[in-house]
Amino acid sequence: MTLLPDDLNVDLHYWMRLTRTMDDQLVNLWKQGRGVGTTFNQRGHEAISVGAGMALAPDDVVAPMHRDLGCYLVRGMTPRRLMANQLGRATGVTRGRDSNLHGCGDLSLNLIGFISHLPQSMPVALGAAMSFSYCSEPRVALTFVGDGSSCAGVFHESLNLAAVQRAPFVVVIENNQYAYSTPLHQQMAIDDLAVRASGHGVESRTVDGNDVEEVYRSVKAAVGKARDGGGPTLIEARTMRMLGHAIHDGAEYVPQELLDDWSARDPLLLHEEKLTSRGLVDHEYLARVAEKCREIVDDAVEFAESSEWPDPGTVSDGVYAA
Amino acid sequence: MTLLPDDLNVDLHYWMRLTRTMDDQLVNLWKQGRGVGTTFNQRGHEAISVGAGMALAPDDVVAPMHRDLGCYLVRGMTPRRLMANQLGRATGVTRGRDSNLHGCGDLSLNLIGFISHLPQSMPVALGAAMSFSYCSEPRVALTFVGDGSSCAGVFHESLNLAAVQRAPFVVVIENNQYAYSTPLHQQMAIDDLAVRASGHGVESRTVDGNDVEEVYRSVKAAVGKARDGGGPTLIEARTMRMLGHAIHDGAEYVPQELLDDWSARDPLLLHEEKLTSRGLVDHEYLARVAEKCREIVDDAVEFAESSEWPDPGTVSDGVYAA
Amino acid sequence: MDSTTNGTRTMTYIEAITDGLRTEMRRDPDVLVMGEDIGGDFGGAFKATQGLEAEFGARRVMNTPMTELAFIGAATGMGLMGLRPVIEVQFADFISTGFDSIVQYAATTHYRWQAPVPWVIRAPADGGIRSGPFHSQNPEAWFVHTPGLKVVAPATPADAKGLLLAAIRDNNPVIYFESKPLYRSLRGEVPEGDRATPIGRARIAREGHHVTVITYGEMVRQALLAADGLAPEITVEVIDLRTLKPLDRDTVTASVRKTGRAVVVHAANRLAGVGAEIAADLGQTSFEYLDAPICRVGGLDVPVPFSPPLEDAYRPGAGDITAAIRETVAY
Amino acid sequence: MDSTTNGTRTMTYIEAITDGLRTEMRRDPDVLVMGEDIGGDFGGAFKATQGLEAEFGARRVMNTPMTELAFIGAATGMGLMGLRPVIEVQFADFISTGFDSIVQYAATTHYRWQAPVPWVIRAPADGGIRSGPFHSQNPEAWFVHTPGLKVVAPATPADAKGLLLAAIRDNNPVIYFESKPLYRSLRGEVPEGDRATPIGRARIAREGHHVTVITYGEMVRQALLAADGLAPEITVEVIDLRTLKPLDRDTVTASVRKTGRAVVVHAANRLAGVGAEIAADLGQTSFEYLDAPICRVGGLDVPVPFSPPLEDAYRPGAGDITAAIRETVAY
Ligand SMILES: Cc1ncc(C[n+]2csc(CCOP(=O)(O)OP(=O)(O)O)c2C)c(N)n1
Ligand SMILES: Cc1ncc(C[n+]2csc(CCOP(=O)(O)OP(=O)(O)O)c2C)c(N)n1
Ligand SMILES: [Mg+2]
Ligand SMILES: [Mg+2]
């Protein structure tokens, strides 16, 4: 397999580091009682959300989910708006209407927001893809789903419809071994989630979700195929959710050995090792990036915490479009 | 492949003939303006509904659908009750509450009734199977779905849950080439509906749905496997819906050649040819059975038409169980 | 369709629907129709889309698999990208199969992240035609209760077209409940071209002084029948709501304040139906004006039964409305 | 759980739910629990089923995949075969994902072919806890409008247990709406053993003479707070409905006929909510007895917003109830 261009690898690293930094800060804020509502943990998912997000062209549309902080960032959603959303402020993406990453869509960034009901973003993203066919535009739509979501009916309905429409559509399963507390073997009788596609005549493959290069390459290929009229692809990216489902969840149900195995393969550290061993960057560079990300995130926190709360008088505004 | 016992083959023929006779009579009644509401056409489906129904043991539970008149008959639902239901009488299975074959369940016959929303019987039949595991009873549950229904989310959710529960559950897809007016290629991008099972880790196979022996044998094998703790099976039975979706539908959208191809393989006539060519029965016998079936159906019509209409004063009775 | 008279044509209710679809598809290339069996010469279970594929091509007339969640969700995605899909669910009863796509996703999107979802769901609703519990439902109350949707329910051919035009042009998810019993039994004058009936405005279908009947869909016809039978002794004002969300409370309130008496009617199950909202609202806003209790007439708290005597017992009609009016006026 | 006093124990609302589940599972081997994440030491998103797998084994405490249609449908099949599944949907908001299984299949089965479907869905509902539009809903109106279901909504630990027992023993599909804000914040005396609270009977939570407040769930607590604040000047009768379907119209009507004034309250969206049914019904049956318009207090016609100031503006509380009572009494 050919290596990705150096610049791209450096970029991928930047976004993964920013994602990790922001996620760590979210955990801190909540531990310190500065959070509002809940927040989802991202650790372990950085290579998937960043790698897939980077593989898209600017005009492509993506519907990221609750573990895709990296994708929102890559696609141009600022840490300030995201942080303000997590803290329920008027300056957040949803102006306090929706919580954490829920609803963090922005059509000007070609980002579609999600709802809790999983995986209801999937047909919506498919519809975006179908509209590109309708308008003969060379664009692609992508969304993510979890292993748990791959059991849900709407996942299958969407793959079937995507196949029959030959829609320019890519779906990335983030197989993180668990749906909340439920391990894979209590969810399904298959080992290989890429087979979810076979009942619908959709091509699929499994990739290492902790290897950002592999994620990028496979999504890029699927996106290219879709853009060329080759129809939908399902990609299973295997990883491990390294923290609880959300901030309040200690995840005591996860065996320690499993975490130990996977922590040896932390996607961010793996990529940093790659970069240094290939001589692309040195440790000083990595430290500088980490420092820069901390500044960005600190700024986002300060922005969010000093932002206004939404005006209660506006509570009924915006239910309907004009 | 070994032949089925002669008696069984003769029985299979009887039920198919009765099904055909009743279906023909339903068509007549409606053409004559004696019908109430609508009625679904059964022609082409007799080998599947009868063959699968006969492959079950008395204690097994089945949820037949709208093209499974044969299965209701095999399982002991009388032509009188069924005909009265079609005509909305107080003596019908649903006492006038539900239409045609809808809701024709009877727990004393181990029959589960269906609703229009397809295929919502599938998880219900699965639940029956799960209750057999719960109670350690050597029983099996079976249901039917259409090709159209195999696109629906609840079909996939049910297969997935059946697999993970290793439930004693058998699903028969009646692939009749159409969902109402929509041909297979507008519904899905696969040719072989048995692959619907593969994304869930469920075993499957495709059989000739116009060969009642093959249907019987394959369902019997799946039921046996399920009873022995081998888990669920999906069987695709291929056939053709030889008339419209329901009585009002002229099915002009079906190419004549397709009908011609399939009418050469009428499941009832095929089986009659087999019986006579194997010397099991002669033409006189076939005529006698046809005559007997006509008598039974005529009696059912007379019973139904002379039955009382439901008393409007009872309209609110039975919404709740005591 | 027949006779053109100064800019109107006589059409059945369902012809008016087709005319509305055709009008919008001609006007706006972003409008498309999608649903089960709607394409080709077949043109849908009720033939409302017949002829559209021939005129507009298969790209704009999309036959879908039987997967309501997927195709309604897909319509949401298309809407977000700027298209205006008009979805046909084969019967209103099957709208529950796509429920999450509607009440959770589409209904909340603009409130949450300010993205408009401009689709229409056409839902052939209503009973009285011996179709049993799953082809006769009137599920509008679920959607009226849900924030973020609009809900319309035309009672005449003119509004069947006019409200469809307005719904398609609206930038929000609109559920359009058609009344199957009106499809071919009700004819009326329909304006040619693109005269939309504004969403949110009720219509006085008949003026009267003794009592106001507030209703929609096929029950407007039943109410007018009842009013005919009671005239001239009792003059009945009949309000055709046209839109169920947002409700035109002003028109309703003004009429009831004038007559002092109200009967609220719908074919949907009466219990916790849309009529309850109307009656409760009037009770609160027009307490001083009421000379009699507000009477509600609606379907029983029972699945719609199939057999004719049962369905007739279940379903309100002109007779029930007449009785309710008499009782209310005699109070 | 602490202090036993003559056959009762002090428990939180959620402890009472767990106690109810345990009581029934001990009593009846056909009772099982199923849902997402409910098994093992984990015991569900809210820990309501914690300890049950240890006591009853994995056969009777079934972790399911995230497939509400399949597992609610499966519960229907189990119910038809004689089991009594108690389903947990993780949040009441996700009940819409299994909608067809509930409103189309389970709700209609007994009416159609006389087969009982004895399941319970436990739905953790209600907001006020900064959980946003998809973890704060009160969707009871959809189900109250649907024929064939029963709906309960306990307001106290005693009823949390008592109504759960009754629901499990009932031979019909029962939706049991729990109020999340009450889980750990409300403690009360709960009878030990198997004392069921009968379905269909409301409770006078507080006697009063000037006005009746009719409500359920967490709003009972808010109404009692409001009543405290208004006493002795205004004495408020508070009715805790307990069951939303079937409604105990007799208790409600008797109280309102006594006080002559009514305020109907729920946290669910006010528009076309259950409160509309109650107000409309009272308006019709007790017209002569009303000294003031019936006032409805409820959530706005808006998805439940996340941010604290917005959610507080959306959601009714003791202050809104107090204002509504004052207005109604002053009328
Ligand atoms: C329809 C639906 N039911 C239940 C839930 C509650 N829930 C939230 S996340 C989750 C697990 C999702 O697992 P998976 O799809 O694997 O995604 P992950 O969280 O592991 O990334 C559940 C059950 C939900 N969001 N949607
Ligand atoms: C959820 C749902 N949507 C729409 C319908 C309307 N409808 C009734 S039968 C049918 C086609 C079913 O096709 P298939 O599953 O292949 O069964 P067949 O009738 O061919 O035996 C449709 C679309 C329905 N019954 N249920
Ligand atoms: Mg997961
Ligand atoms: Mg078919």
Side-chain angles (χ1 to χ4, degrees):
Chain A
M1 221 165 256
T2 53
L3 299 178
L4 297 183
D6 295 347
D7 289 4
L8 178 58
N9 264 323
V10 168
D11 277 0
L12 289 168
H13 168 258
Y14 169 76
W15 292 112
M16 287 172 72
R17 171 54 74 190
L18 182 61
T19 306
R20 174 69 55 89
T21 308
M22 186 155 170
D23 185 44
D24 285 348
Q25 182 63 289
L26 285 166
V27 172
N28 282 338
L29 289 176
W30 259 257
K31 283 204 180 139
Q32 295 164 17
R34 291 154 73 191
V36 181
T38 192
T39 187
F40 291 102
N41 294 308
Q42 307 291 326
R43 186 174 283 248
H45 285 256
E46 297 89 344
I48 304 173
S49 61
V50 167
M54 291 285 286
L56 295 168
D59 273 354
D60 294 337
V61 162
V62 58
M65 299 300 299
H66 56 294
R67 295 203 206 282
D68 300 315
L69 176 59
C71 186
Y72 294 94
L73 292 170
V74 164
R75 300 290 296 181
M77 187 72 85
T78 63
R80 284 184 164 202
R81 287 178 78 199
L82 287 165
M83 192 60 84
N85 205 66
Q86 296 263 2
L87 299 185
R89 304 309 161 110
T91 52
V93 191
T94 68
R95 299 125 50 248
R97 265 71 174 158
D98 209 346
S99 56
N100 46 67
L101 294 173
H102 281 84
C104 285
D106 184 334
L107 291 178
S108 72
L109 300 173
N110 289 316
L111 278 171
I112 290 179
F114 73 97
I115 66 170
S116 290
H117 299 66
L118 293 173
Q120 290 296 335
S121 277
M122 195 164 156
V124 176
L126 167 60
M130 286 163 64
S131 83
F132 304 150
S133 305
Y134 185 92
C135 301
S136 304
E137 292 173 347
R139 301 166 71 187
V140 174
L142 179 145
T143 191
F144 302 85
V145 300
D147 43 286
S149 301
S150 81
C151 305
V154 68
F155 169 91
H156 292 277
E157 291 192 1
S158 302
L159 277 190
N160 181 71
L161 183 59
V164 77
Q165 293 283 332
R166 244 186 127 70
F169 184 47
V170 178
V171 179
V172 178
I173 299 186
E174 305 184 64
N175 177 358
N176 65 2
Q177 317 298 322
Y178 282 85
Y180 204 157
S181 77
T182 306
L184 288 182
H185 72 272
Q186 285 183 18
Q187 301 182 52
M188 61 192 80
I190 54 175
D191 295 318
D192 178 2
L193 273 69
V195 306
R196 291 292 200 201
S198 59
H200 307 290
V202 169
E203 279 181 48
S204 66
R205 56 178 304 197
T206 297
V207 302
D208 179 352
N210 284 14
D211 180 341
V212 71
E213 285 190 285
E214 194 179 333
V215 171
Y216 177 91
R217 245 188 322 253
S218 62
V219 174
K220 187 94 184 169
V223 166
K225 182 187 91 173
R227 206 183 308 285
D228 295 343
T233 305
L234 176 72
I235 295 168
E236 177 198 13
R238 291 206 182 147
T239 187
M240 175 71 202
R241 195 193 73 207
M242 296 304 290
L243 295 169
H245 172 66
I247 192 72
H248 61 275
D249 173 25
E252 294 80 5
Y253 47 81
V254 176
Q256 188 56 46
E257 315 84 76
L258 192 59
L259 291 171
D260 292 346
D261 284 359
W262 283 91
S263 64
R265 304 191 46 259
D266 179 286
L268 173 62
L269 300 188
L270 264 186
H271 196 60
E272 293 194 337
E273 269 162 44
K274 266 198 217 164
L275 295 191
T276 49
S277 69
R278 289 188 206 154
L280 289 180
V281 305
D282 57 16
H283 287 278
E284 201 200 321
Y285 169 86
L286 295 178
R288 268 205 323 276
V289 170
E291 180 56 28
K292 181 175 165 202
C293 291
R294 262 195 302 278
E295 281 167 19
I296 291 172
V297 171
D298 287 347
D299 167 74
V301 173
E302 201 188 300
F303 171 81
E305 291 192 327
S306 62
S307 285
E308 304 260 291
W309 291 100
D311 174 357
T314 66
V315 63
S316 294
D317 294 356
V319 175
Y320 293 103
Chain B
M1 221 168 255
T2 53
L3 300 177
L4 297 182
D6 295 346
D7 289 4
L8 179 57
N9 266 322
V10 169
D11 277 359
L12 289 167
H13 168 258
Y14 169 76
W15 292 111
M16 288 170 72
R17 172 55 75 188
L18 182 60
T19 306
R20 174 68 55 89
T21 308
M22 185 154 170
D23 185 42
D24 285 349
Q25 182 63 291
L26 286 165
V27 172
N28 282 338
L29 289 175
W30 259 258
K31 283 201 178 142
Q32 295 165 16
R34 291 154 73 191
V36 180
T38 193
T39 186
F40 291 101
N41 294 308
Q42 307 292 324
R43 187 174 283 246
H45 285 256
E46 299 89 343
I48 304 173
S49 62
V50 167
M54 291 285 286
L56 295 169
D59 273 354
D60 294 338
V61 163
V62 58
M65 300 301 299
H66 55 295
R67 296 203 205 283
D68 299 314
L69 175 59
C71 186
Y72 294 95
L73 292 169
V74 165
R75 298 292 296 181
M77 186 73 84
T78 63
R80 286 184 164 204
R81 288 178 76 198
L82 288 166
M83 191 60 84
N85 204 67
Q86 296 261 4
L87 298 185
R89 305 308 161 110
T91 51
V93 192
T94 68
R95 300 128 45 248
R97 265 69 175 162
D98 209 345
S99 55
N100 46 67
L101 294 173
H102 280 85
C104 285
D106 184 334
L107 290 178
S108 73
L109 299 173
N110 289 316
L111 278 171
I112 290 179
F114 73 96
I115 66 171
S116 290
H117 299 67
L118 292 171
Q120 289 296 335
S121 276
M122 194 164 156
V124 176
L126 167 60
M130 286 163 63
S131 84
F132 304 150
S133 303
Y134 185 92
C135 301
S136 304
E137 291 172 349
R139 300 166 72 187
V140 174
L142 179 145
T143 191
F144 302 85
V145 301
D147 44 285
S149 302
S150 81
C151 304
V154 68
F155 169 91
H156 292 277
E157 291 192 1
S158 302
L159 276 189
N160 181 71
L161 183 59
V164 77
Q165 292 284 332
R166 245 186 128 68
F169 184 47
V170 178
V171 179
V172 178
I173 299 186
E174 305 183 65
N175 177 359
N176 64 1
Q177 316 299 322
Y178 281 85
Y180 204 158
S181 77
T182 306
L184 288 182
H185 72 271
Q186 284 184 17
Q187 300 182 52
M188 60 191 80
I190 53 174
D191 296 317
D192 178 2
L193 274 70
V195 306
R196 291 291 201 202
S198 59
H200 307 290
V202 169
E203 279 181 49
S204 66
R205 56 178 304 197
T206 296
V207 302
D208 178 352
N210 285 14
D211 180 340
V212 71
E213 285 191 283
E214 194 177 334
V215 172
Y216 177 92
R217 246 189 319 254
S218 62
V219 174
K220 187 96 185 165
V223 166
K225 182 186 90 173
R227 206 184 309 285
D228 294 343
T233 305
L234 177 72
I235 294 169
E236 176 199 13
R238 291 206 181 146
T239 187
M240 175 70 202
R241 195 193 71 207
M242 297 304 292
L243 294 169
H245 172 65
I247 192 72
H248 61 276
D249 174 25
E252 294 79 6
Y253 47 81
V254 176
Q256 188 56 47
E257 315 84 76
L258 192 59
L259 291 171
D260 292 345
D261 283 0
W262 284 91
S263 65
R265 304 192 46 257
D266 179 287
L268 173 62
L269 300 187
L270 264 186
H271 197 59
E272 293 194 339
E273 269 163 44
K274 264 199 220 166
L275 295 191
T276 50
S277 70
R278 288 189 207 153
L280 288 180
V281 305
D282 57 16
H283 287 280
E284 201 202 318
Y285 169 86
L286 295 178
R288 268 207 322 277
V289 170
E291 179 56 28
K292 181 174 166 203
C293 290
R294 264 195 302 277
E295 281 166 18
I296 291 172
V297 170
D298 287 348
D299 166 75
V301 172
E302 201 188 302
F303 171 81
E305 291 192 327
S306 62
S307 284
E308 304 259 291
W309 292 99
D311 174 357
T314 65
V315 62
S316 294
D317 295 355
V319 175
Y320 293 103
Chain C
M1 278 175 249
D2 32 309
S3 64
T4 308
T5 17
N6 47 4
T8 72
R9 288 219 277 169
T10 309
M11 290 183 206
T12 62
Y13 185 93
I14 193 162
E15 284 168 347
I17 293 171
T18 309
D19 193 44
L21 291 172
R22 196 184 293 109
T23 303
E24 284 305 280
M25 291 181 80
R26 284 185 184 161
R27 204 183 56 80
D28 182 351
D30 290 339
V31 176
L32 68 149
V33 294
M34 57 197 289
E36 293 153 8
D37 304 297
I38 66 164
D41 294 335
F42 189 68
F46 299 101
K47 313 295 175 203
T49 55
Q50 218 166 34
L52 297 183
E53 185 173 325
E55 178 170 352
F56 302 104
R59 187 182 65 107
R60 296 182 66 193
V61 182
M62 193 185 290
N63 254 14
T64 63
M66 189 176 62
T67 52
E68 283 78 2
L69 270 179
F71 67 72
I72 297 173
T76 299
M78 293 170 133
L80 288 173
M81 295 298 112
L83 300 181
R84 295 187 173 272
V86 183
I87 304 147
E88 175 177 305
V89 291
Q90 197 153 78
F91 283 79
D93 312 61
F94 302 124
I95 203 168
S96 57
T97 311
F99 208 57
D100 265 357
S101 263
I102 303 166
V103 302
Q104 302 291 0
Y105 202 110
T108 65
T109 294
H110 195 269
Y111 187 62
R112 297 182 304 119
W113 53 286
Q114 303 184 267
V117 178
W119 55 233
V120 179
I121 294 181
R122 287 184 40 241
D126 211 4
I129 51 173
R130 315 334 187 180
S131 300
F134 306 112
H135 294 76
S136 306
Q137 297 173 15
N138 288 292
E140 59 269 14
W142 292 335
F143 303 101
V144 171
H145 182 59
T146 301
L149 301 171
K150 295 190 179 181
V151 180
V152 299
T156 65
D159 282 344
K161 177 171 176 185
L163 283 170
L164 185 54
L165 264 49
I168 293 173
R169 295 171 196 184
D170 198 285
N171 285 324
N172 296 281
V174 182
I175 307 184
Y176 173 99
F177 284 104
E178 310 175 358
S179 174
K180 299 191 299 291
L182 295 180
Y183 274 166
R184 292 179 170 81
S185 73
L186 187 68
R187 302 174 69 78
E189 294 298 300
V190 176
E192 293 194 57
D194 70 351
R195 287 247 296 280
T197 304
I199 291 180
R201 256 187 262 155
R203 174 179 77 98
I204 310 280
R206 178 188 181 111
E207 292 202 28
H209 292 91
H210 298 111
V211 57
T212 303
V213 174
I214 303 138
T215 187
Y216 55 92
E218 205 262 330
M219 288 295 133
V220 172
R221 173 164 77 177
Q222 301 295 329
L224 291 172
L225 275 174
D228 277 346
L230 290 162
E233 185 203 338
I234 299 172
T235 71
V236 180
E237 182 139 309
V238 177
I239 296 185
D240 170 5
L241 284 171
R242 287 170 155 168
T243 297
L244 304 182
K245 188 175 186 128
L247 280 167
D248 181 356
R249 298 183 196 265
D250 292 345
T251 299
V252 171
T253 305
S255 172
V256 173
R257 288 185 178 190
K258 179 182 84 175
T259 63
R261 292 177 154 82
V263 174
V264 186
V265 182
H266 50 59
N269 309 90
R270 186 186 115 130
L271 183 78
V274 176
E277 173 62 33
I278 295 164
D281 191 52
L282 283 170
Q284 186 158 1
T285 61
S286 305
F287 186 71
E288 299 284 347
Y289 298 83
L290 291 175
D291 299 320
I294 299 170
C295 183
R296 284 184 295 149
V297 177
L300 302 177
D301 186 28
V302 160
V304 187
F306 163 59
S307 186
L310 296 178
E311 188 177 24
D312 292 344
Y314 162 85
R315 183 179 173 83
D320 307 279
I321 300 170
T322 303
I325 292 172
R326 282 201 187 284
E327 199 186 314
T328 302
V329 171
Y331 187 88
Chain D
M1 278 176 249
D2 30 309
S3 65
T4 310
T5 16
N6 45 3
T8 72
R9 288 219 276 171
T10 310
M11 290 183 205
T12 62
Y13 185 92
I14 194 162
E15 284 169 347
I17 293 170
T18 310
D19 192 44
L21 291 172
R22 195 182 293 109
T23 302
E24 284 305 280
M25 291 181 80
R26 285 187 184 160
R27 203 184 55 81
D28 182 351
D30 290 338
V31 175
L32 68 149
V33 294
M34 57 197 289
E36 293 153 7
D37 304 297
I38 66 164
D41 294 334
F42 189 68
F46 299 101
K47 312 294 175 204
T49 54
Q50 217 166 35
L52 297 183
E53 183 173 325
E55 179 169 353
F56 301 104
R59 187 181 65 107
R60 296 182 64 192
V61 181
M62 195 184 289
N63 254 14
T64 62
M66 189 175 62
T67 52
E68 283 79 1
L69 271 179
F71 67 72
I72 296 174
T76 298
M78 293 170 136
L80 288 173
M81 296 297 112
L83 300 181
R84 295 188 173 273
V86 183
I87 304 147
E88 176 176 305
V89 291
Q90 198 153 78
F91 283 79
D93 312 62
F94 302 124
I95 203 168
S96 56
T97 311
F99 208 56
D100 265 357
S101 264
I102 301 167
V103 301
Q104 302 291 1
Y105 201 109
T108 66
T109 295
H110 195 269
Y111 186 62
R112 297 182 304 120
W113 53 285
Q114 302 184 269
V117 178
W119 54 234
V120 179
I121 294 181
R122 287 183 40 241
D126 212 4
I129 50 174
R130 313 337 185 179
S131 300
F134 306 111
H135 294 75
S136 305
Q137 296 172 15
N138 288 291
E140 58 270 13
W142 293 335
F143 303 101
V144 171
H145 182 58
T146 302
L149 300 171
K150 295 190 180 182
V151 181
V152 300
T156 64
D159 281 344
K161 178 172 177 184
L163 284 170
L164 186 54
L165 264 50
I168 294 173
R169 296 173 194 182
D170 198 283
N171 286 325
N172 296 282
V174 182
I175 308 184
Y176 173 99
F177 284 105
E178 310 175 357
S179 174
K180 298 192 298 293
L182 294 179
Y183 274 167
R184 292 180 170 80
S185 73
L186 187 68
R187 302 175 69 81
E189 293 298 300
V190 176
E192 292 194 57
D194 70 352
R195 288 247 296 279
T197 304
I199 290 180
R201 257 188 261 154
R203 173 178 78 97
I204 311 277
R206 178 188 181 111
E207 293 202 27
H209 293 90
H210 299 111
V211 57
T212 304
V213 174
I214 302 139
T215 188
Y216 53 92
E218 205 261 332
M219 288 296 133
V220 172
R221 174 163 74 176
Q222 301 295 328
L224 291 172
L225 275 173
D228 278 346
L230 290 161
E233 186 203 338
I234 299 173
T235 71
V236 180
E237 183 138 310
V238 177
I239 297 186
D240 170 5
L241 285 171
R242 287 172 156 166
T243 298
L244 305 181
K245 189 175 186 128
L247 280 167
D248 182 355
R249 298 182 196 265
D250 292 346
T251 299
V252 171
T253 306
S255 172
V256 173
R257 289 186 177 188
K258 180 181 83 175
T259 63
R261 293 178 154 85
V263 174
V264 186
V265 182
H266 50 59
N269 308 91
R270 187 187 114 130
L271 183 77
V274 177
E277 173 62 34
I278 294 163
D281 191 53
L282 284 170
Q284 185 158 2
T285 61
S286 304
F287 187 71
E288 300 283 349
Y289 298 83
L290 292 175
D291 298 321
I294 299 169
C295 183
R296 284 184 296 149
V297 177
L300 302 177
D301 186 28
V302 160
V304 187
F306 163 60
S307 186
L310 295 178
E311 188 178 24
D312 291 345
Y314 162 85
R315 182 180 172 83
D320 306 280
I321 300 170
T322 302
I325 292 171
R326 281 200 188 285
E327 199 186 314
T328 301
V329 171
Y331 187 88

